[in-house]
Amino acid sequence: MASTLLQASSFCFIFALFTIFSLLDYCSCFNPKVLSSYNTSKTESDWSPAGATWYGSPTGPGSDGGACGYGTSVEQSPFSSLVSAGGSSLYKSGKGCGTCYQVKCTENGACSGNPVTVVVTDECPGCVSESVHFDMSGTSFGAMAKSGQASQLRKAGQLQIQYQRVECNYGGVKLAFHVDSGSNSDYFAAVIEFEDGDGDLSGVDLRQALDSDTWLCMQESWGAVWKLNYGSELKAPFSLRLTSLESGKTLVVNNAIPAGWKAGTTYRSVVNYED
């Protein structure tokens, strides 16, 4: 059994003990590698219909972070307010946070027909009139308009648009980890931002300092927030291992969170998926 486990590329198991360690997930992985990208070549047939509305201020980000937890980052570069809340099929109970889509409209005279890339950063629980619905920021909605006609397009209020899933590309911006304000010595949580490629994550694991063999499986808390309730003091610096949802790519960010880290602080790495 031991040799079988050592030959596996990764494994994760839960210890059912009578102590606090019953709450911990231990994950191990050997030589994680980035897998080849999924095919993103697009044709006209790849566009699908969806509904679109907008919310918030006409030239704003919709809301400050909303149900994904990005906070004021949504109005700053690289998001730059080009964001959208998603109905259930886009938000996916938080697993859709960080995914990127191209959207375009043609049905209104103010529509340019040119694609605009938006990132899912919020949830629209009331968007149920279509199977796919984008409740876009005022900025995103207006970006689908011809030059000088953004206000006219926003007056339409609701449109039928076309959309397609695309890889995220933040133009050289590296991964960022915003430590949740409730984090402490034995509980760690963070929002993960700006993932190139898939944009979404299926798993996050944490490795403590001086322990090169053991990965602790973090849990998805809400939105783009991942947490680890360890129950005893965690030893920083922390390395983080990210696994993307769509393609299964794995990326290890060594020493992502430094010793002496502080809750409420954002730590920027020097790597991203497409490096």
Side-chain angles (χ1 to χ4, degrees), residues 47-58:
W47 292 91
S48 301
T53 48
W54 65 278
Y55 72 118
S57 65

Side-chain angles (χ1 to χ4, degrees), residues 45-180:
S45 62
D46 292 306
W47 292 91
S48 301
T53 48
W54 65 278
Y55 72 118
S57 65
T59 58
S63 66
D64 287 339
C68 287
Y70 295 127
T72 57
S73 292
V74 294
E75 57 192 272
Q76 302 166 7
S77 179
F79 287 141
S80 303
S81 298
L82 290 171
V83 296
S84 179
S88 61
S89 64
L90 296 175
Y91 182 70
K92 301 177 183 177
S93 300
K95 293 188 181 300
C97 289
T99 51
C100 296
Y101 295 87
Q102 283 187 337
V103 294
K104 64 181 181 179
C105 70
T106 57
E107 71 164 26
N108 187 287
C111 290
S112 70
N114 298 323
V116 175
T117 301
V118 298
V119 185
V120 174
T121 59
D122 199 0
E123 178 185 19
C124 182
C127 295
V128 296
S129 57
E130 299 96 358
S131 59
V132 179
H133 191 98
F134 293 84
D135 194 19
M136 303 167 70
S137 68
T139 299
S140 296
F141 200 90
M144 295 189 294
K146 296 174 181 175
S147 179
Q149 298 188 37
S151 295
Q152 181 179 334
L153 186 61
R154 281 190 290 264
K155 287 179 181 178
Q158 184 169 355
L159 294 170
Q160 291 299 307
I161 64 169
Q162 293 178 295
Y163 79 99
Q164 62 181 3
R165 175 82 178 267
V166 295
E167 286 191 337
C168 298
N169 183 346
Y170 290 105
V173 174
K174 306 305 181 183
L175 290 166
F177 305 92
H178 180 76
V179 180
D180 186 82

Side-chain angles (χ1 to χ4, degrees), residues 23 33 141 146 217:
L23 300 176
K33 296 179 180 179
F141 200 90
K146 296 174 181 175
C217 298

Side-chain angles (χ1 to χ4, degrees), residues 1 19 26 38 67 72 79 98 142-143 152 157-158 165 198 209 221 229-230 234 236 260 275:
M1 175 65 73
T19 67
Y26 287 85
Y38 62 93
T72 57
F79 287 141
Q152 181 179 334
Q158 184 169 355
R165 175 82 178 267
D198 292 353
S221 180
N229 191 6
Y230 192 60
L234 289 159
D275 290 348

Side-chain angles (χ1 to χ4, degrees), residues 173-176 194 251-254 268-273 275:
V173 174
K174 306 305 181 183
L175 290 166
F194 314 139
L251 177 67
V252 171
V253 186
N254 290 312
R268 300 191 180 276
S269 74
V270 294
V271 298
N272 209 325
Y273 268 104
D275 290 348

Side-chain angles (χ1 to χ4, degrees), residues 223-263:
V225 181
W226 291 79
K227 67 179 181 179
L228 174 63
N229 191 6
Y230 192 60
S232 60
E233 185 176 357
L234 289 159
K235 305 295 185 181
F238 305 142
S239 296
L240 296 174
R241 183 178 65 191
L242 314 182
T243 303
S244 59
L245 179 62
E246 181 75 13
S247 64
K249 290 181 180 179
T250 300
L251 177 67
V252 171
V253 186
N254 290 312
N255 301 321
I257 309 298
W261 61 267
K262 296 185 182 299

